[in-house]
Structure formats: C-alpha cells, structure tokens
Amino acid sequence: PEALLAHIRTSLEAYARQLETQGFEPLRRLWLERALWLGRTINVQTGVASIEGVLRGLSANGELELDTKDGPRRIAAGDVFLNA
C-alpha cells in the first residue's frame, strides 16, 4: 500500500505542477482522451436533483457537459453514476 500511495502522490504532484504552469487545458484534454463514457448516458446526483443525460465533454471550467431532455447542462459538482 505504501508503494502505491507513493506512486499516486508522485503523479498528483506532477499534475499539480502542470496545472500551476500550464493551466487547466492540458489536464482537460487528458481527461477527455480517457473519458470512456463520452457519448453515453450518465446520471448525476447533485444533492437536490437527479440529472440524466448524454456526456458530451468537460468545460474549460471543469464542469461536466451533458445533453439532457431539457437541453444542454453544465454540472459543477455531484455524484456520477454510469448507466450500464
């Protein structure tokens, strides 16, 4: 466990340095390259609402971008559930 935590810490520190020097965009692109659920339906629980929609991306501010039945939505925080 200690070796795993050391590896994770090293990675997180590298991402933090990148964020400080290059801003959010490189991390956003990296996230989008690895987002397996792009184009698929997800559900986000925000605490006051349950929002279902197709995951379209990640905004420049880090919000999830969803296409919902009521139109496009950006969600800044919530619990994400992947529909099987």
Side-chain angles (χ1 to χ4, degrees):
E2 291 176 10
L4 175 62
L5 290 176
H7 176 73
I8 292 170
R9 179 181 177 177
T10 301
S11 295
L12 290 175
E13 288 172 344
Y15 286 130
R17 282 191 303 277
Q18 182 181 33
L19 185 61
E20 288 175 5
T21 60
Q22 299 175 32
F24 180 62
E25 186 57 27
L27 293 176
R28 179 184 167 275
R29 285 194 309 266
L30 185 64
W31 187 91
L32 289 169
E33 289 172 9
R34 291 176 166 89
L36 299 176
W37 284 82
L38 282 177
R40 296 178 68 180
T41 301
I42 66 170
N43 188 285
V44 182
Q45 302 289 325
T46 66
V48 295
S50 176
I51 303 162
E52 184 176 87
V54 176
L55 179 58
R56 292 296 176 206
L58 192 66
S59 78
N61 294 323
E63 303 144 317
L64 286 180
E65 298 174 326
L66 297 181
D67 283 340
T68 72
K69 64 181 174 115
D70 297 322
R73 294 275 308 262
R74 287 187 175 182
I75 302 172
D79 296 317
V80 175
F81 297 89
L82 308 174
N83 299 336

